[in-house]
Amino acid sequence: MKALILSGGKGTRLRPLTYTGAKQLVPVANKPILWYGIEGIIAAGITDIGIVISPETGKEVQELTGNGEKFGANITYILQEQPAGLAHAVKIAQPFLADSPFIMYLGDNIIESQLEQFLETFKKEQLDALILLRKVPNPTAFGVAKVDEKGKVLGLVEKPKVPPSDLALVGIYLFSNKIHNAIANIKPSARGELEITDAIQYLIDQQTSGADQEISVEARTLEGWWLDTGKKDDLLSANQIILDTRLTNSVNGEINSQSQIIGRVKIGENTKLINCSIRGPVIIGDNCHLENCFIGPYSSIADNVTLIDVDIEHSVILQGAKIIEIHQRIVDSLLGRRAQLINAPQRPKALRFMIGDDSQIELT
């Protein structure tokens, strides 16, 4: 069994944060989103992993993630020159996949459920496709599946005006090698892409028409949370859930006597806190300097960050950023790598923002 993780795309919904970096490398609780998928796949016993990358951000993904050694895996990188669809990503990965069954995982997704149970079902029932679904309140915004009472998939519809169900496709699929023939028999969609939903529908049509009675396409529903981190609010929600469910206490660095730490907090090596109040769940990386700050719940502060006279809550601050003398509360915000925000006068309302890498902003 192999794995194929998709880590291309332009990340337009997270701009300006993703103008200079891959959306899958934006950290949630100080860990790149992509790594959660890698770790989940390895926990399920799959260590031969292909990662599809784009020309714009592929080098960054390779440099940060490496060859898989630090995860206990073997990672192969596969360049997709153009964002021509999920099925196209499978097509160009066929030399890596060969005839092996595989799990396909969209790199900006995080799920609570363990993958082992779905792998076991896929293998035991000798399926050709197993799609994961999640009930959603707004199915018109997703690809939606129509499923019978036994879990057999009857059809797929992309962003339907009248949804046949409230079951959205999660970005995780398991396939046999029959998916390659399906992809070879579909045409690009109206947006010019090879859609994986069309390839799955081809398998369903072959199954129902009797053209290949051995084809079997089924679905299973996720019971735990599913996080698609493609937008700012989604990423902040993911950060909150991960801090809530997976953060463990670990306080290192230099904490002076005027500082107070309450709740579950993780503070990295060589980080200095002077006259600060930290109320967890909060994670603060290595080599940070915090002075006269309140860091409220559900905040993630990456490595090498400087915060002076700052009040932050429910926010994500990326590596090397600086926030100095902001005299109003910062909430629901994202600050990019090495970005600087300084000198904000006191205002009655909280400050909310999303600022890209290397930006320098002085508020007046």
Side-chain angles (χ1 to χ4, degrees):
M1 193 89 181
K2 294 184 178 182
L4 187 67
I5 302 178
L6 275 57
S7 186
K10 297 181 183 292
T12 54
R13 294 180 297 167
L14 270 176
R15 288 178 178 171
L17 203 63
T18 52
Y19 270 125
T20 57
K23 63 179 178 178
Q24 295 85 1
L25 296 183
V26 176
V28 168
N30 284 4
K31 183 191 297 185
I33 297 163
L34 175 67
W35 291 11
Y36 289 95
I38 293 172
E39 290 171 351
I41 286 165
I42 291 169
I46 302 172
T47 56
D48 198 358
I49 300 172
I51 299 182
V52 177
I53 54 176
S54 68
E56 296 83 3
T57 60
K59 184 177 179 182
E60 182 187 17
V61 172
Q62 286 183 265
E63 288 178 350
L64 188 63
T65 306
N67 63 6
E69 184 178 356
K70 60 186 167 190
F71 302 100
N74 180 41
I75 292 177
T76 300
Y77 292 95
I78 302 156
L79 181 64
Q80 186 181 27
E81 294 283 358
Q82 296 291 334
L86 303 187
H88 179 262
V90 176
K91 187 174 184 177
I92 64 168
Q94 191 170 359
F96 163 76
L97 296 167
D99 289 329
S100 174
F102 64 99
I103 181 170
M104 185 169 86
Y105 197 111
L106 303 193
D108 54 359
N109 280 251
I110 308 175
I111 64 169
E112 180 180 17
S113 301
Q114 302 298 308
L115 294 172
E116 292 95 322
Q117 58 184 305
F118 306 115
L119 284 169
E120 184 178 346
T121 297
F122 178 77
K123 292 176 181 178
K124 184 178 179 180
E125 300 188 17
Q126 298 182 319
L127 302 177
D128 293 299
L130 178 64
I131 62 176
L132 301 190
L133 307 173
R134 182 72 163 79
K135 288 187 176 183
V136 295
N138 55 334
T140 56
F142 298 90
V144 176
K146 185 178 181 180
V147 181
D148 70 14
E149 65 279 359
K150 295 181 180 179
K152 189 174 182 179
V153 182
L154 304 177
L156 303 174
V157 188
E158 189 65 35
K159 296 181 180 178
K161 292 182 179 180
V162 182
S165 76
D166 60 354
L167 296 171
L169 278 76
V170 176
I172 301 172
Y173 314 81
L174 291 94
F175 293 120
S176 77
N177 59 17
K178 288 185 180 179
I179 194 65
H180 301 300
N181 180 61
I183 292 171
N185 279 280
I186 63 171
K187 296 186 183 329
S189 65
R191 60 179 183 170
E193 297 186 0
L194 288 176
E195 311 285 359
I196 198 66
T197 48
D198 290 344
I200 298 168
Q201 187 65 55
Y202 179 88
L203 291 177
I204 295 168
D205 293 343
Q206 293 291 101
Q207 172 186 258
T208 55
S209 69
D212 189 341
Q213 295 182 355
E214 294 183 358
I215 286 181
S216 184
V217 180
E218 293 191 8
R220 295 293 183 271
T221 302
L222 290 177
E223 298 301 331
W225 44 257
W226 160 46
L227 307 170
D228 177 355
T229 57
K231 298 179 182 178
K232 185 194 91 163
D233 288 346
D234 297 332
L235 191 141
L236 290 173
S237 294
N239 188 67
Q240 176 173 336
I241 289 173
I242 295 298
L243 288 176
D244 243 346
T245 58
R246 302 188 184 180
L247 183 68
T248 56
N249 274 322
S250 175
V251 177
N252 298 297
E254 183 181 333
I255 318 297
N256 82 336
S257 59
Q258 285 76 45
S259 294
Q260 182 182 37
I261 295 174
I262 302 170
R264 285 181 299 113
V265 173
K266 183 174 182 179
I267 299 176
E269 300 285 346
N270 301 314
T271 285
K272 182 179 289 187
L273 269 63
I274 301 171
N275 191 32
C276 292
S277 179
I278 313 296
R279 185 180 295 274
V282 164
I283 184 169
I284 301 172
D286 298 336
N287 305 305
C288 295
H289 180 91
L290 280 71
E291 189 171 342
N292 303 327
C293 294
F294 171 79
I295 309 299
Y298 305 117
S299 295
S300 291
I301 314 298
D303 297 343
N304 304 303
V305 167
T306 299
L307 303 176
I308 299 175
D309 296 321
V310 175
D311 181 340
I312 295 177
E313 188 173 336
H314 196 253
S315 296
V316 172
I317 311 301
L318 272 60
Q319 185 173 5
K322 292 184 179 180
I323 307 179
I324 298 174
E325 295 185 2
I326 304 299
H327 301 290
Q328 61 192 102
R329 194 164 60 100
I330 295 172
V331 298
D332 304 334
S333 296
L334 291 172
L335 187 68
R337 293 171 298 180
R338 300 172 301 278
Q340 297 185 31
L341 185 67
I342 60 175
N343 295 338
Q346 181 68 48
R347 292 189 179 98
K349 293 185 178 180
L351 184 65
R352 290 174 170 83
F353 57 77
M354 182 164 67
I355 298 174
D357 294 349
D358 299 301
S359 300
Q360 296 188 24
I361 298 176
E362 183 170 355
L363 299 175
T364 57

